[in-house]
Amino acid sequence: MLKICDLTVAYSVAPVLHSVNLEVPEGKIVALLGANGAGKSTTLKAVSGLIRAHSGRIEFCGQLISGKRPDEIVKLGLAHVPEGRLVFPGLSVFENLKIGSYTRRYSPNQLKVHMDKVYELFPRLAERCTQLAGTMSGGEQQMLAIGRAMMSEPKLLMLDEPSLGLAPVVIDTIMDKITEINKHGTTVLLIEQNAELALAISHYAYVLSVGEVVLSGESEAVAEDKSILEAYLGGEQ
Amino acid sequence: MTVAILFQLILNGLAMGIIYALPALGISLIWNASGLFNFAQGDLLTLGGYIMLTVFGKLNIPFIPAFMITVAAMGLLGYALSQIYFYPMLENKVNPQIILIGTVAFSVFIRNLVLVIWGTTPQTYTNPFGSQVMQIGELYLMPHVIWIVAIVTVLLSLLQYFLRSTMVGIAMRAVAQRQTASWLMGIRNDRMIALTFLLSTSIAAVSGVLISPILPLTPSMGGMIAVKAMAAVLIGGLGSFSGALIGGVAVGIAETIFAAIVDPAYRDIFIFGILVLFLLFRPGGIFKAQVSEKV
Ligand SMILES: Nc1ncnc2c1ncn2[C@@H]1O[C@H](COP(=O)(O)OP(=O)(O)OP(=O)(O)O)[C@@H](O)[C@H]1O
Ligand SMILES: [Mg+2]
């Protein structure tokens, strides 16, 4: 579904990503792991068009998307939940979800159907639909950020460290929801520093280190390479 | 002084204050969307006033279509201005203080353009609201006072509805809060910021038209109004929607009453004295802009 070939990205002169290759098959959850500064977020930003690739190709559903604007990419069915959630603090939960469907131009009925789906996934959001997003807890904001992305009915959902800064119980809920979203047919690309979490729910995994893919394969197999994982992820596991 | 006179002063001050509130609102809209303080807001008002002078006063097009032509022309100007001039600077990460000079440059540009096209002689056109003084009880009012209040009330209700309840309105507020996230929603930030400029210059045009029964048109009129609008914005709270309105109205009423009771010559000294006190003791203004209000 998503194919990244020889992606190189540089912010200034020194490249941050060196010729990264990565593939996300339809219907799966793929984990992208790596220590701080490995280039995980940079990879996602290049895919969603927030930053320009220096060289390389990015294909989504057989279509070349590198060089397209973010709004064109969202329209194709690719949603990116950014690092730090980035909900709109001064908009209500309802408005945040509504703006998630910006490119879809739903009729009021369709909007309600999609909103109800998100509320079903995260009942907490339904309870708080009039609350300002900026006043919600970190876990609730993460749910909102994911719900907002789901409002565009994405084929591929890309999540940048959804567990960041959350309590273990909340992390478990979020991971369950990601699995649920995937079971309902959405392909997922999940970025995590916490390898154990991500490997537990993903089908395939890639490990990024200093801008290069150093390890990839089925998640179970990658999970077994404990020593390598430790070497690249900084021995947290 | 009788209560009736005081009441009348308040109403006249209200009409003047609304004229200040509109550019103040325009300043806050642009500030929220792009982080720019638009120094040209007052001169945009002047330009709107002069376009109306030509369309309504010289070409004799009826008031309502002439008003619409003026607002539309100014709106287009704002949109183009953002797309051609301001957004490229924002995108290229030009230092905001340098862009600020860009708005000052634009202000001087408009002022001199108006001067070259329309000349320096103060100009007026027939008061479209009628110049027959109305008597209501003990009050003597010019019809435009009532019209200004009515037109602006309708306009602001529409604006409020647009920003709160339509998808594009919500998108404009989203862009004002988080630009990266709004790109990820598929919003064209450049267009939304241009739309904010469009709204802002249209509002400037409305105030330029509404002011005509109160002040004759001169190329420099916008300058003084802009300074009052800036005072209104800072007193109300920069970036706050209600702050701009209340600040503008407060400035208008305060200066009108002060001029009547004390001395018109000291009017501006009084207003800017108050501004200095605000900057010293309550720099955020009456309403510190809240995220919820960011437009
Ligand atoms: N806007 C930027 N300008 C310059 N360098 C940047 C910029 N953003 C990121 N970098 C650099 O690119 C490298 C990769 O950053 P990136 O954010 O992709 O890492 P990451 O894997 O997501 O890390 P983390 O786990 O901390 O989020 C880092 O060295 C970082 O300093
Ligand atoms: Mg990151």
Side-chain angles (χ1 to χ4, degrees):
Chain A
M1 171 166 277
L2 179 73
K3 222 168 143 180
I4 301 177
C5 306
D6 295 324
L7 177 68
T8 300
V9 173
Y11 284 106
S12 44
V13 223
V16 171
L17 294 179
H18 311 269
S19 194
V20 166
N21 287 284
L22 189 152
E23 207 168 321
V24 182
E26 186 163 355
K28 303 293 182 197
I29 301 182
V30 173
L32 177 58
L33 311 172
N36 282 119
K40 309 181 294 295
S41 300
T42 303
T43 310
L44 284 205
K45 286 179 192 161
V47 172
S48 57
L50 286 177
I51 51 176
R52 291 210 169 255
H54 188 254
S55 64
R57 291 170 63 83
I58 305 173
E59 279 175 30
F60 179 63
C61 297
Q63 211 173 337
L64 184 70
I65 58 167
S66 29
K68 284 195 193 298
R69 282 192 318 265
D71 54 300
E72 297 172 312
I73 295 173
V74 179
K75 273 191 202 132
L76 295 174
L78 203 157
H80 175 176
V81 180
E83 186 170 13
R85 355 220 186 264
L86 305 189
V87 296
F88 299 107
L91 300 189
S92 67
V93 169
F94 174 85
E95 288 172 326
N96 266 278
L97 292 178
K98 186 170 172 183
I99 207 71
S101 69
Y102 183 77
T103 53
R104 289 292 176 257
R105 301 176 183 280
Y106 294 142
S107 68
N109 279 336
Q110 288 171 312
L111 183 72
K112 185 165 181 332
V113 169
H114 286 94
M115 194 116 20
D116 285 344
K117 271 196 211 164
V118 171
Y119 286 152
E120 203 177 306
L121 189 65
F122 298 113
R124 182 70 69 87
L125 296 182
E127 290 162 24
R128 308 193 158 241
C129 66
T130 57
Q131 190 177 335
L132 287 186
T135 63
M136 299 211 299
S137 74
E140 290 163 350
Q141 290 193 14
Q142 187 61 59
M143 293 176 197
L144 180 57
I146 297 174
R148 183 179 68 176
M150 291 308 289
M151 285 298 291
S152 66
E153 277 213 295
K155 295 184 190 126
L156 172 63
L157 178 69
M158 306 196 294
L159 301 148
D160 196 340
E161 297 202 45
S163 72
L164 194 75
L166 302 183
V169 207
V170 186
I171 295 180
D172 287 345
T173 319
I174 300 276
M175 292 297 151
D176 287 348
K177 298 298 180 183
I178 294 171
T179 315
E180 196 177 326
I181 289 171
N182 175 248
K183 291 234 168 76
H184 283 101
T186 308
T187 309
V188 174
L189 174 58
L190 171 65
I191 284 194
E192 265 303 333
Q193 272 194 60
N194 186 330
E196 206 179 332
L197 277 177
L199 291 172
I201 68 162
S202 60
H203 304 99
Y204 299 97
Y206 288 79
V207 179
L208 204 58
S209 176
V210 212
E212 282 179 82
V213 174
V214 288
L215 183 65
S216 66
E218 295 196 11
S219 297
E220 285 171 21
V222 171
E224 269 164 27
D225 260 336
K226 284 223 163 41
S227 57
I228 298 187
L229 269 182
E230 253 170 54
Y232 287 119
L233 299 178
E236 289 168 301
Q237 266 63 47
Chain B
M1 178 164 53
T2 65
V3 175
I5 293 180
L6 183 67
F7 198 64
Q8 196 164 323
L9 284 176
I10 291 177
L11 276 177
N12 288 337
L14 181 66
M16 197 63 224
I18 282 176
I19 303 279
Y20 297 148
L22 292 180
L25 191 64
I27 290 173
S28 273
L29 272 167
I30 291 183
W31 169 263
N32 282 344
S34 62
L36 290 184
F37 194 102
N38 184 14
F39 268 96
Q41 201 66 29
D43 302 285
L44 289 164
L45 179 156
T46 314
L47 184 60
Y50 274 98
I51 292 177
M52 188 67 176
L53 172 75
T54 298
V55 179
F56 175 69
K58 300 262 154 51
L59 302 179
N60 289 318
I61 293 173
F63 179 69
I64 293 175
F67 197 172
M68 282 158 63
I69 291 172
T70 305
V71 170
M74 289 296 293
L76 281 179
L77 174 74
Y79 193 92
L81 189 66
S82 171
Q83 291 284 34
I84 298 168
Y85 189 42
F86 289 111
Y87 189 79
M89 287 197 276
L90 289 168
E91 206 189 14
N92 293 329
K93 304 254 180 326
V94 174
N95 183 327
Q97 291 176 1
I98 289 174
I99 308 183
L100 186 80
I101 305 296
T103 76
V104 175
F106 188 60
S107 153
V108 176
F109 175 83
I110 300 179
R111 195 173 299 190
N112 286 283
L113 187 72
V114 166
L115 198 143
V116 171
I117 299 179
W118 285 281
T120 47
T121 331
Q123 303 194 56
T124 50
Y125 47 83
T126 358
N127 187 341
F129 307 111
S131 31
Q132 189 73 38
V133 179
M134 300 191 306
Q135 185 179 3
I136 308 169
E138 284 183 61
L139 293 181
Y140 293 89
L141 283 177
M142 291 295 287
H144 62 247
V145 173
I146 293 164
W147 276 104
I148 289 176
V149 175
I151 291 175
V152 172
T153 308
V154 171
L155 192 83
L156 292 180
S157 315
L158 286 176
L159 186 65
Q160 183 74 1
Y161 171 79
F162 168 72
L163 290 171
R164 293 284 138 191
S165 310
T166 67
M167 187 61 111
V168 177
I170 298 176
M172 274 175 78
R173 288 157 60 212
V175 171
Q177 293 170 22
R178 289 237 147 108
Q179 299 215 358
T180 306
S182 46
W183 272 121
L184 291 179
M185 299 300 108
I187 298 168
R188 289 281 302 265
N189 289 4
D190 53 339
R191 292 198 182 153
M192 283 304 148
I193 289 178
L195 211 54
T196 312
F197 271 84
L198 179 148
L199 270 186
S200 180
T201 50
S202 307
I203 292 173
V206 171
S207 41
V209 171
L210 293 184
I211 202 173
S212 69
I214 303 180
L215 289 180
L217 292 166
T218 59
S220 59
M221 67 188 270
M224 199 54 210
I225 292 172
V227 184
K228 297 279 173 61
M230 287 171 201
V233 152
L234 296 176
I235 289 174
L238 183 54
S240 158
F241 204 58
S242 16
L245 274 179
I246 292 178
V249 169
V251 168
I253 293 179
E255 71 168 24
T256 308
I257 293 182
F258 183 88
I261 301 178
V262 189
D263 185 346
Y266 290 95
R267 189 181 61 190
D268 292 343
I269 295 179
F270 171 67
I271 291 299
F272 291 100
I274 290 182
L275 176 62
V276 169
L277 290 181
F278 256 93
L279 291 177
L280 281 175
F281 297 108
R282 198 171 163 83
I286 300 173
F287 298 87
K288 286 211 172 84
Q290 288 170 0
V291 270
S292 61
E293 269 199 297
K294 284 198 96 184
V295 169

